[in-house]
Amino acid sequence: MVTTTLKFATVGSVDDGKSTLIGRLLLDSKAIFDDQLEHITAVSRRRGDDVADLALLTDGLRAEREQGITIDVAYRYFATPRRSFVIADCPGHIQYTRNMVTGASNVDLAIVMVDARHGVVEQTRRHTLLVSLLGVPHLVICVNKMDLVGNHEAALKAVIDQFTEFAAKLELRDVTFIPISALNGDNVVDRSPNMPWYQGTSLLRHLETVYTASDHNLIDTRFPVQYVIRPRTTEHHDFRGYAGTMAGGSLRVGDDVVVLPSGLPTTIAAIDGFDGPCSEARSGDAVVVRLSDHVDVSRGDMLVRPNNHPVVTQDLDAMVCWMDDRATLRPRAMYTLQHTTRTVRAVVTDLRYELDISTLHRNTEATELGLNAIGRIALHTTAPLFIDDYHRNRTTGGFILIDEHTNATVAAGMIAERGR
Amino acid sequence: MVARPLVDESISIIREAAAQFERPALLFSGGKDSVVMLHLALAAFRPAPLPFPIMHVDTGHNFPEVIEFRDRMVEQFNVQLLVASVQASIDSGRVADVQGPRSSRNVLQTVTLLDAITEHRFDAVFGGARRDEERARAKERVFSHRDEFGQWDPKQQRPELWGLYNGRHRMNEHFRVFPLSNWTELDIWEFIREQRIELPSIYFAHRREVFRRDGMLMAATPFVERLPNEEPFDTTVRFRTVGDASCTAAIESTASNYDEVVAETATARVTERGATRADDRISEAGMEDRKRQGYF
Ligand SMILES: Nc1nc2c(ncn2[C@@H]2O[C@H](COP(=O)(O)OP(=O)(O)OP(=O)(O)O)[C@@H](O)[C@H]2O)c(=O)[nH]1
Ligand SMILES: [Mg+2]
């Protein structure tokens, strides 16, 4: 049987119960090994807790255990008979927003945790905004700690109202609300008798059944060349293969293609994947492509179809999340920009606005973006990029900015159509 | 079948590192993860030869079956092997050997590894670590930065978004690259079965002289001093991980072929490290502390 994989992240404010929920999900679906359970039970007992702290299953760093918070994203894997899951347990603390962005950048679904007692708070809004900008297709709002509000339906209703009001201005396609207690496991794996008024599914059932159409863009063929394979051995003297991962659409042997940026036309002569020669490569496949003509192709070039090109440009508009704690983003600053397999230099030509996290108001007076700020910028690059709108293609629409002195990754960028 | 997205992701990571770094090397212990990693690396550049050497950090406390296997693989795949020797580090006074029944050369490997990275001027080394192995590893990036002292700073990891990996670094810094980050132990075994990948024979059930220590079965080798009450006996075992012979335990098992090992792995109730690594029991953050200092 072929099971599909669902990648999901837990996000939301600090202490709302994300790590506890992951621990609960792993424990109740029997994905915890005996020695791991013994370990967290012993650590919890040593601290004087009467029950095992399930967050310790993912909070693996010394500093996290000392402070009782998550600092960096933890990856966990588990499977049920219906599906396999990759979990990214993200930190809620504002200081570690960049790690949350790391964890949520390529997931199919995000669980936004909300403490039933506090409702939607600033950090809930920030994470929801980021998840929306990152184009995560599915959202589950888990109203957690229902045990602390008497399991009353009113707490769920309040969160639905607050969330819906805020999210009206965001592009969210699929939002589901589930009231839970991560601590006690209510509505996590099974529906709980403690909330008889709740008619929906348990969280795990939802995760097992949520329909995820392929995250890949199946229409626009994009093949960024990652590595040129030239054996220089006597046996394969004339072999020239272009290795890379399909970033959209598909390619078949015999297809006409165009090489960007040169614009030279050629034809696909052969495709090799891990399992050997194949007639077709689809989005996500790592393959080696051979061409019929001796055209000049190197890393950073892109193969596309003659009638479906990305935008070739040195000027782009993008939403960015600023992630550097040492410097702010300012107009005229210069960065290294990494986009698909291409690396160029880029100058910030305009800071169009900063987005207010709470009101989503666009502040066009902003002069810089500080740590964790989100804004819209314009960039000019030293060489052309082959881009698509991020919401059409996460691979050809996403980029990172790198500080040229510290080499740190300082911004995540999502390309937007001009004027949109 | 192992999900192809997992295979393709690993191959893509290996190619990306080969493109970004000038002098990479692949760490090869002869253990199952490094064997799978080598197979994927060979596939990533086929029909060209592997564009970088492989390196074994040799504690000198080996299972002979593993060394024999290593040398055969080097011949079969025509790859360049470098051996960084812990014994040489001891002989030259870089590290002091450890003594006594509970000693292991496992931690000494860090110095040997970092010295070799400096000597060969490697700017990236591929490691076969998986995030499902251990809680500190679960936190690590695919491209993981090391400062000029080879140290990992878990509180200053670079953001890593989508499939974009930032391998920029200063002189004398380097990266650890983990292509198998998202594989589980079961994925590894299913892949080994599906591809009929050869492994050192000690991964399958065999008779061996062992003794019991801390509830684990340690191989009776010349490298481990036994305590008076640690009587050796013969039984049927296999290894779930292969490392330094003085700190890697065997498990009682009759699984003697791919299918049986896959079945055993799928129903295991104890993690592979919990079952087999004496050194990982030291402290709550044993792995994190070693990794901070530059361990694999
Ligand atoms: N009563 C109750 N307490 C809960 C529940 N879920 C979590 N908690 C408690 O809330 C505290 C914080 O839980 P964590 O799981 O560490 O929170 P988190 O969201 O992962 O926090 P960060 O990762 O640091 O943002 C712990 O003391 C948990 O035991 C719940 O459903 N009911
Ligand atoms: Mg947490």
Side-chain angles (χ1 to χ4, degrees):
Chain A
M1 192 181 83
V2 181
T3 53
T4 55
T5 300
L6 182 83
K7 291 189 191 179
F8 70 92
T10 48
V11 305
S13 189
V14 67
D15 274 352
D16 283 357
K18 299 175 289 298
S19 301
T20 306
L21 172 67
I22 296 312
R24 172 56 67 192
L25 214 44
L26 293 170
L27 186 68
D28 288 359
S29 56
K30 317 244 174 321
I32 295 298
F33 291 91
D34 294 346
D35 55 318
Q36 293 173 323
L37 189 59
E38 268 165 41
H39 171 80
I40 65 157
T41 311
V43 173
S44 305
R45 201 176 310 123
R46 217 178 303 149
R47 293 182 179 173
D49 303 345
D50 21 314
V51 288
D53 180 359
L54 296 175
L56 291 174
L57 286 166
T58 53
D59 287 342
L61 298 175
R62 187 190 285 284
E64 293 178 326
R65 289 162 168 247
E66 280 165 8
Q67 298 171 46
I69 61 164
T70 306
I71 291 172
D72 211 330
V73 49
Y75 295 92
R76 296 292 307 229
Y77 311 83
F78 82 108
T80 67
R82 285 163 176 263
R83 222 175 209 176
S84 57
F85 299 94
V86 177
I87 310 172
D89 180 31
C90 298
H93 197 290
I94 183 166
Q95 192 183 338
Y96 309 116
T97 303
R98 58 174 173 236
N99 297 335
M100 172 271 172
V101 172
T102 293
S105 70
N106 59 357
V107 296
D108 309 304
L109 179 147
I111 295 177
V112 183
M113 290 294 266
V114 179
D115 187 323
R117 296 168 302 171
H118 309 312
V120 172
V121 296
E122 158 139 340
Q123 198 58 354
T124 322
R125 287 191 285 265
R126 176 176 278 109
H127 280 190
T128 304
L129 175 57
L130 283 166
V131 159
S132 144
L133 289 173
L134 288 167
V136 177
H138 304 275
L139 246 63
V140 179
I141 318 302
C142 275
V143 182
N144 188 33
K145 309 196 186 183
M146 287 299 290
D147 54 301
L148 296 182
V149 293
N151 288 314
H152 287 310
E153 191 175 6
L156 173 68
K157 288 224 164 97
V159 171
I160 293 178
D161 289 347
Q162 293 162 4
F163 190 89
T164 309
E165 191 197 334
F166 170 71
K169 298 165 213 150
L170 298 176
E171 287 179 55
L172 301 173
R173 278 173 280 170
D174 172 33
V175 184
T176 304
F177 294 85
I178 304 180
I180 64 166
S181 166
L183 192 69
N184 302 333
D186 293 331
N187 291 334
V188 175
V189 167
D190 296 308
R191 285 262 304 274
S192 166
N194 296 333
M195 287 173 257
W197 47 265
Y198 174 67
Q199 296 299 317
T201 60
S202 73
L203 175 64
L204 182 62
R205 177 49 62 89
H206 182 76
L207 297 175
E208 284 182 327
T209 53
V210 62
Y211 174 74
T212 54
S214 169
D215 180 41
H216 295 288
N217 175 321
L218 304 173
I219 298 157
D220 312 311
T221 297
R222 306 283 184 260
F223 184 75
V225 176
Q226 185 181 26
Y227 190 94
V228 180
I229 297 181
R230 289 234 42 198
R232 294 174 220 284
T233 54
T234 25
E235 193 188 342
H236 300 285
H237 192 77
D238 295 321
F239 186 98
R240 262 197 189 77
Y242 304 101
T245 300
M246 288 288 293
S250 62
L251 279 177
R252 293 182 75 89
V253 174
D255 279 353
D256 290 330
V257 291
V258 170
V259 184
L260 296 178
S262 69
L264 293 171
T266 179
T267 314
I268 303 289
I271 302 173
D272 292 285
F274 176 78
D275 298 301
C278 40
S279 56
E280 186 179 27
R282 289 153 178 265
S283 191
D285 294 351
V287 293
V288 179
V289 163
R290 277 174 280 163
L291 303 174
S292 310
D293 307 274
H294 274 289
V295 286
D296 177 17
V297 182
S298 46
R299 172 172 161 89
D301 290 359
M302 190 184 278
L303 303 183
V304 300
R305 290 190 188 281
N307 54 2
N308 180 335
H309 284 207
V311 176
V312 180
T313 181
Q314 284 177 253
D315 289 285
L316 40 127
D317 254 47
M319 293 302 298
V320 290
C321 173
W322 188 249
M323 306 188 290
D324 193 22
D325 45 16
R326 285 167 280 208
T328 57
L329 177 140
R330 289 164 185 275
R332 289 183 302 284
M334 189 90 178
Y335 302 97
T336 295
L337 184 154
Q338 224 175 299
H339 171 261
T340 66
T341 56
R342 222 169 155 72
T343 301
V344 298
R345 298 181 78 202
V347 62
V348 178
T349 47
D350 190 18
L351 170 53
R352 301 208 194 279
Y353 59 82
E354 176 177 356
L355 210 52
D356 183 298
I357 306 294
S358 296
T359 61
L360 301 179
H361 172 75
R362 297 174 175 185
N363 176 14
T364 52
E365 309 288 295
T367 54
E368 59 178 11
L369 293 180
L371 180 63
N372 302 322
I374 295 164
R376 173 78 168 242
I377 62 169
L379 291 162
H380 180 72
T381 59
T382 51
L385 297 177
F386 321 127
I387 61 167
D388 291 294
D389 188 284
Y390 180 82
H391 288 281
R392 207 170 155 82
N393 188 322
R394 283 204 228 182
T395 309
T396 53
F399 65 86
I400 54 172
L401 294 181
I402 298 168
D403 184 294
E404 300 195 322
H405 303 290
T406 64
N407 293 322
T409 304
V410 290
M414 285 131 303
I415 295 167
E417 268 164 42
R418 302 203 139 206
R420 218 187 103 184
Chain B
M1 192 164 112
V2 170
R4 281 299 172 260
L6 212 48
V7 173
D8 284 350
E9 178 187 66
S10 302
I11 288 178
S12 176
I13 291 164
I14 293 167
R15 287 177 179 149
E16 186 63 23
Q20 286 196 29
F21 297 101
E22 278 170 29
R23 298 175 64 87
L26 183 144
L27 292 173
F28 185 78
S29 64
K32 62 182 185 312
D33 301 310
S34 64
V35 173
V36 166
M37 180 166 65
L38 177 60
H39 275 261
L40 293 169
L42 289 163
F45 304 103
R46 204 166 280 148
L50 195 67
F52 40 76
I54 69 172
M55 182 161 81
H56 179 211
V57 179
D58 179 358
T59 64
H61 292 172
N62 299 300
F63 295 102
E65 297 90 335
V66 178
I67 298 299
E68 180 272 324
F69 170 83
R70 176 195 79 186
D71 293 340
R72 208 148 37 76
M73 290 303 112
V74 166
E75 195 135 315
Q76 185 177 328
F77 294 122
N78 195 21
V79 291
Q80 188 201 343
L81 171 72
L82 302 170
V83 178
S85 156
V86 173
Q87 187 61 52
S89 303
I90 293 168
D91 294 343
S92 67
R94 291 283 295 149
V95 290
D97 202 2
V98 286
Q99 311 276 319
R102 284 182 175 273
S103 63
S104 154
R105 285 184 170 180
N106 193 34
V107 286
L108 303 187
Q109 295 183 86
T110 300
V111 174
T112 308
L113 170 63
L114 294 178
D115 282 355
I117 289 170
T118 307
E119 179 194 333
H120 297 286
R121 291 185 287 117
F122 291 136
D123 51 3
V125 286
F126 293 99
R130 310 184 321 264
R131 285 169 173 161
D132 84 324
E133 268 179 81
E134 203 278 336
R135 53 189 172 272
R137 293 218 200 270
K139 297 269 164 181
E140 193 162 9
R141 300 286 185 261
V142 173
F143 273 39
S144 189
H145 180 260
R146 293 294 180 277
D147 69 12
E148 58 180 315
F149 302 102
Q151 300 181 111
W152 180 50
D153 185 354
K155 285 192 82 170
Q156 281 300 329
Q157 297 200 88
R158 290 180 184 174
E160 192 163 81
L161 288 98
W162 306 296
L164 291 174
Y165 302 104
N166 172 7
R168 299 201 152 227
H169 59 280
R170 297 209 176 96
M171 276 263 285
N172 303 325
E173 298 177 343
H174 73 275
F175 270 79
R176 301 289 168 83
V177 178
F178 300 109
L180 304 179
S181 285
N182 293 321
W183 293 56
T184 64
E185 186 187 13
L186 188 58
D187 292 326
I188 293 284
W189 271 110
E190 288 185 333
F191 187 71
I192 288 168
R193 171 173 68 174
E194 168 196 314
Q195 298 292 318
R196 301 275 154 210
I197 291 173
E198 192 188 340
L199 290 182
S201 57
I202 65 173
Y203 274 110
F204 301 96
H206 58 287
R207 296 293 289 180
R208 181 177 288 271
E209 190 178 40
V210 296
F211 66 92
R212 212 172 276 283
R213 174 181 285 178
D214 302 337
M216 289 188 281
L217 293 179
M218 306 295 294
T221 68
F223 316 120
V224 198
E225 220 176 287
R226 290 195 302 277
L227 297 163
N229 61 339
E230 294 176 332
E231 273 301 310
F233 59 98
D234 248 38
T235 186
T236 302
V237 297
R238 66 176 198 90
F239 287 84
R240 242 172 112 180
T241 65
V242 164
D244 183 82
S246 62
C247 69
T248 310
I251 57 166
E252 234 151 336
S253 166
T254 55
S256 59
N257 57 42
Y258 294 131
D259 285 336
E260 288 169 6
V261 175
V262 168
E264 191 178 273
T265 307
T267 53
R269 291 307 313 149
V270 180
T271 62
E272 68 177 72
R273 292 206 153 250
T276 66
R277 290 302 178 99
D279 53 313
D280 279 359
R281 303 196 160 186
I282 314 169
S283 81
E284 218 183 299
M287 175 63 85
E288 179 182 344
D289 293 344
R290 270 179 288 146
K291 284 185 77 64
R292 279 172 177 275
Q293 289 157 12
Y295 187 75
F296 302 109

